[in-house]
Amino acid sequence: MADLPLIEADPEIAQCIADEEQRQHDKLRLIPSENYASSAVQEACGSVLNNKYSEGYAGKRYYEGQQNIDTVEKLAIERHKSLFGVDHANVQPYSGSPANLAVYFAFCNPGDTIMGMGLPSGGHLTHGWKVSISGKYFNAIQYGVSPGDHLIDFDEVASLAREHRPKLLFCGATAYPRVVDFAKFAEIAQEVGAILVADIAHISGLVAGGAHPSPVGHAEVISSTTHKTFRGPRGGMIMCDDKHRKAIDRAVFPGLQGGPHNGTTAGIAIAAKLASTDEFKAYAKAIVDNSHVLAETLVSRGFDLVTGGSDNHLILIDLTGKDVPGKVAAQALDRAGMVANYNSVPFDTRKPFDPSGVRLGTPAITSRGMGSDEMKRLGNWMADVVDDVENEAVISRIAGEVKELCDQFPAPGVPVR
Ligand SMILES: *Cc1c(COP(=O)(O)O)cnc(C)c1O
């Protein structure tokens, strides 16, 4: 078999990858769920570990030849246990959504009552939203945020929990710019006999780096992705108290999945090692500091932010007062080299596919080493674009300035030509 390099084996795909490398270098990537995985993580993910089948868990596999895979998976597990201070970690879920599905499968039967934050308030699809399997196969009760301050409405959470007595109570979000109070959720879960699940998909890097309070000690089960603020490969994981170890492991395999993606497992192990360094702690703090400065700059330029600001990695702009729809703003920002995503805001009067908000965050740009000066420039560029959204001359001038800034801050894991 001819073993050609990619450029010869498939020039079309090679070109797509080269173009994407260029895009990831040239643009300010502001989508808060995205990041730059390190070269070491990418190397592991693209390695021969992908050639191996290893259904089961270390020491209890259904295939032979696990001498190296068992070591990889044990390292990933042990590093997570010491990094987060948990009893147990399962690093096999293929991504964040399958991790949550495994949690449901571990504790619930179809039709059982579960509770999570509604999508329009910033919750994730897998927390019981009606189009998701979590909303179709379970009796999903959804809580939200208060109409006034857009903070999680704990009175509503408590009264819904008392009324419906869910088996699982999910907390954690996908578009919430403030700290999640895990202790308050735990109090409510305990009162109604629910298992509290903290989904830290967005903030696991902040938690690992000490820049967001940890759910450990409050939530019996913690689910996450590994590719957002955690800066690992695309993947998922579940951590839990000892008493839930068996249920979680069985739910992931053989309940939901077959063979784990071993290259990804190695990438997760590497990310966990990197996340336990002082350098990563500084990174996590810088993400939050940058988000503060960016939020302040945007407010000073007349933007309304959901909850008025940010104390994590994420900012949700409400454009209702600017009279520019979220999609129009996000598309103009992209042309100017600033890649965010349009998003619903709480109590949005527009439709989900054409909402009033723009969601952005600082994890990826902070990975490039940018700091408060760059955040101020960015906030002002964003305002210049949105305030004059049809002015292509302004947009292309800013795109040039963005490119110059990006050239000064090379991104980890992205080759520069
Ligand atoms: C991103 C996210 C997920 C899903 O992760 P995928 O890897 O996209 O499946 C789950 N929960 C929350 C809160 C998320 O933000």
Side-chain angles (χ1 to χ4, degrees):
M1 187 189 83
D3 191 18
L4 302 171
L6 175 60
I7 186 78
E8 288 168 41
D10 192 336
E12 274 174 293
I13 290 293
Q15 190 59 50
C16 292
I17 294 173
D19 291 348
E20 180 62 12
E21 285 169 352
Q22 196 65 48
R23 191 192 70 83
Q24 292 194 15
H25 171 79
D26 288 349
K27 304 279 176 120
L28 291 169
R29 298 173 56 235
L30 301 170
I31 295 171
S33 47
E34 293 184 352
N35 212 330
Y36 292 99
S38 62
S39 302
V41 164
Q42 291 184 54
E43 202 178 310
C45 290
S47 72
V48 296
L49 296 176
N50 285 318
N51 294 339
K52 186 75 195 99
Y53 245 106
S54 52
E55 286 182 0
Y57 293 101
K60 291 170 289 183
R61 305 280 190 188
Y62 290 79
Y63 297 79
E64 297 313 312
Q66 309 295 346
Q67 293 84 350
N68 306 306
I69 301 299
D70 276 5
T71 310
V72 167
E73 192 169 328
K74 280 195 233 161
L75 277 171
I77 291 169
E78 289 308 318
R79 287 174 184 174
H80 268 90
K81 283 164 65 177
S82 70
L83 179 58
F84 288 95
V86 289
D87 294 343
H88 180 58
N90 185 309
V91 294
Q92 292 192 4
Y94 298 142
S95 210
S97 303
N100 284 343
L101 201 50
V103 173
Y104 288 111
F105 195 57
F107 301 109
C108 297
N109 290 308
D112 281 352
T113 298
I114 60 102
M115 209 170 128
M117 193 178 192
L119 188 79
S121 293
H124 193 258
L125 282 166
T126 56
H127 295 185
W129 189 239
K130 55 200 172 196
V131 300
S132 141
I133 187 168
S134 62
K136 285 194 194 285
Y137 282 28
F138 304 103
N139 175 36
I141 309 300
Q142 304 268 270
Y143 60 84
V145 295
S146 306
D149 56 16
H150 294 166
L151 299 175
I152 291 169
D153 185 346
F154 279 101
D155 292 337
E156 186 191 30
V157 177
S159 72
L160 286 172
R162 284 179 197 127
E163 185 186 343
H164 298 283
R165 306 194 71 86
K167 268 199 172 165
L168 298 179
L169 172 57
F170 271 83
C171 64
T174 199
Y176 189 68
R178 297 295 182 176
V179 163
V180 177
D181 190 337
F182 297 117
K184 261 192 194 167
F185 274 107
E187 220 173 277
I188 295 168
Q190 196 159 23
E191 185 195 322
V192 303
I195 292 174
L196 180 64
V197 185
D199 178 349
I200 58 168
H202 262 256
I203 57 170
S204 58
L206 302 183
V207 171
H212 186 290
S214 171
V216 176
H218 302 298
E220 293 171 43
V221 178
I222 299 165
S223 66
S224 188
T225 61
T226 52
H227 49 271
K228 299 183 182 175
T229 49
F230 199 62
R231 214 155 60 174
R234 295 201 89 77
M237 56 131 166
I238 306 170
M239 302 183 283
C240 63
D241 292 352
D242 233 343
K243 64 178 174 190
H244 297 311
R245 171 199 303 259
K246 269 197 182 152
I248 290 294
D249 281 355
R250 273 193 203 141
V252 174
F253 176 85
L256 188 65
Q257 299 186 168
H261 295 179
N262 297 311
T264 302
T265 307
I268 291 173
I270 295 165
K273 183 181 164 120
L274 297 176
S276 63
T277 59
D278 287 342
E279 194 186 341
F280 193 88
K281 281 197 185 77
Y283 166 62
K285 182 176 181 299
I287 291 176
V288 175
D289 290 347
N290 279 342
S291 190
H292 272 145
V293 175
L294 182 53
E296 274 169 17
T297 309
L298 291 169
V299 168
S300 78
R301 291 290 307 263
F303 282 98
D304 285 332
L305 305 186
V306 172
T307 77
S310 164
D311 38 41
N312 56 17
H313 63 299
L314 181 147
I315 295 168
L316 194 53
I317 302 176
D318 183 348
L319 290 166
T320 310
K322 292 257 186 196
D323 248 356
V324 180
K327 204 179 201 171
V328 172
Q331 287 169 349
L333 288 168
D334 185 44
R335 290 201 298 286
M338 296 171 280
V339 190
N341 68 276
Y342 58 87
N343 209 96
S344 294
V345 295
F347 311 101
D348 209 322
T349 49
R350 303 175 66 94
K351 299 216 161 54
F353 201 65
D354 185 21
S356 303
V358 169
R359 187 183 74 146
L360 59 141
T362 52
I365 51 177
T366 306
S367 286
R368 303 180 76 147
M370 294 183 186
S372 61
D373 287 350
E374 290 73 39
M375 296 308 114
K376 287 175 196 157
R377 293 184 74 189
L378 167 57
N380 281 304
W381 283 331
M382 291 185 71
D384 291 346
V385 169
V386 174
D387 286 343
D388 203 0
V389 81
E390 276 159 24
N391 190 335
E392 292 301 326
V394 168
I395 289 174
S396 69
R397 171 182 55 80
I398 291 174
E401 290 176 357
V402 165
K403 170 80 170 79
E404 266 174 45
L405 180 68
C406 287
D407 286 341
Q408 292 164 31
F409 291 89
V414 179
V416 189
R417 264 172 286 274

